[in-house]
Amino acid sequence: LTFQGYQQSSVDGSDPWCDQEYDVSEKVTPGVLVIYTGGTIGSRPRDPDPDSPQIVVPWEEFLSHTPEVGRLPFEVDASEEIPPLDSCNVGPSEWSKMAEIIFANYDEYAGFVILHGTDTMVYTASALSFMLRDLAKPVIITGAQRSAMVSTRNDATQNFLTALEIANPAVSRLPVVPEVCIFFGGKLLRGNRAIKIDTSGYEAYETPNIPPLGLAGDRIVINEKIVRPLPDRGRKFSIRTRLDTGVMPIYVSPGIQDTSIAEAQLDTAGLRAAVVLSFGSGNIPTKPEFLEVFRAAREGGVILANVSQCPRGPVEQGIYETSAQLVEAGFVSGNDITIEAAQCKLMVLLGDPDADVEDAELAFQQNLAGEQSTSMFVTKYGKSNGTLDDESPRLRIRGVGVEGRWSPNHVERALVRLHGATITAPPVSDSAREREALKVKKDAPAAPASLETVAFRVFLNLDDSVAQPDLNDPGYAGEFRKWPAASTGLSVFDISSAFRSTVSAGERVSFTIILDTPGATLAWDDADIAVFAKEFDV
Ligand code: ASP
């Protein structure tokens, strides 16, 4: 990690403040409100024996071991409304309390610091990022691996003082970071992107899918390019404090498909969503009986969120056969969200009494608070089943307004997806049959049932009166060759470049599929367009 690219050390280009500049007997307001919740940063051994179990202490005792706070030029107040806890015991009711404290004191302070145990810090950060809406002030969560009450050589004091400075950007001459962040071990991290990677090291957190928002060495430097923008003018800060705790992770590991573990978990009373921790880019075993357990759960109203066990990189459903089947079973993808953020996001989305399962699923696939790099917007076409054959090789699916907030240059991919699709090929030609026979002789892997591929062309917004559309049509999205499928499933047509050049968010778009292989057929149950839009350019 270097400080290169993190040039904006202060908003006006001057050196950040240093103690000597300030008369600390006159404290500047607004200051920072500290929400003290305990954790190692607020713990010491219970008995004089240094090896006795650690206990959390009240704020006053903690503060008496951090006298440096008194040398800061601004007011630092504390809320002790949440009793000091080991963070293993912090959960939705404490998160709601934190949100309420911030809401009640929002106008009085420049920013907020939450002192917290390290164990569940990323859950608290993730939950708050979805609970605090239109946040325009910094909320910085920090803690320590070693407290100042235990040892002079500690990380508590540095973490706390730096968090306080970042939380008061006007005094510290830093850019405003209007986000829920974790500051720890010299790094300012987006809270809902962070994972705890070390049980004892001072650099305990990382954000594997985005760079740090800032670094603190001899100076504090903020990478403004990736900090979330301030809320739009006129939007007022608000909070959501209702969470639904019926969300459970299901850890997929080799062999689980031969057990009833997943079925038992999905059968849990009150379960509303499962965060299915998949392999790699979003794959799980495809044994039909195993997939059926999930399909049945989805039919029963349980949201299935596909989130990778792998900390870096996104889930991309539909790239491999193993995950294409998941789309059909009703899984929604979490892109590159962390496991912890997925859990909290679903709790908050399902806590909304007005949101039904479908609303929560659509929102889950979109970036709400910087928690994922790409949003997926699905536009469903009602009554969009169809069949193509020699009789009618061309079908136009009528235009509807495409969902989402995105600009065309942020569209990574756009797909026409046909669900429950079956492709059949014309009878196998003699030469193909001969080639197949040769392969069989050589003990080669079995060739597909037919060696003929089936060709299609797709057009966007094609005028029905154009009898012979060709690649010069502005809506030409490409030619596609597909193998006839042995079974029904998802069939995907990548229409990205035509989509980018012809469609804007909210506009109506129709698509036309033309079957170009005589004797072949394509039939499907329903269709949608999935748009993948990047949140920012890093
Ligand atoms: N068990 C402690 C907690 O999370 C660990 C820590 O703070 O480092 O509260």
Side-chain angles (χ1 to χ4, degrees), residues 109-133:
Y109 292 94
F112 301 84
V113 168
I114 301 177
L115 293 180
H116 199 286
T118 61
D119 287 344
T120 65
M121 190 180 287
V122 302
Y123 286 94
T124 297
S126 299
L128 287 177
S129 76
F130 302 115
M131 296 165 77
L132 308 179
R133 316 294 297 267

Side-chain angles (χ1 to χ4, degrees), residues 37-43 56 85-90 116-121 143-146 184 196 199 205:
T37 75
T40 292
I41 195 166
S43 300
V56 281
L85 294 164
D86 185 290
S87 75
C88 300
N89 295 318
V90 172
H116 199 286
T118 61
D119 287 344
T120 65
M121 190 180 287
Q145 298 282 31
R146 200 166 171 81
F184 211 94
K196 186 176 177 184
T199 58
Y205 299 93

Side-chain angles (χ1 to χ4, degrees), residues 10-30:
S10 59
V11 275
D12 56 6
S14 63
D15 269 0
W17 69 276
C18 63
D19 299 14
Q20 285 86 336
E21 286 182 40
Y22 290 90
D23 171 6
V24 293
S25 57
E26 277 290 313
K27 298 278 190 187
V28 176
T29 52

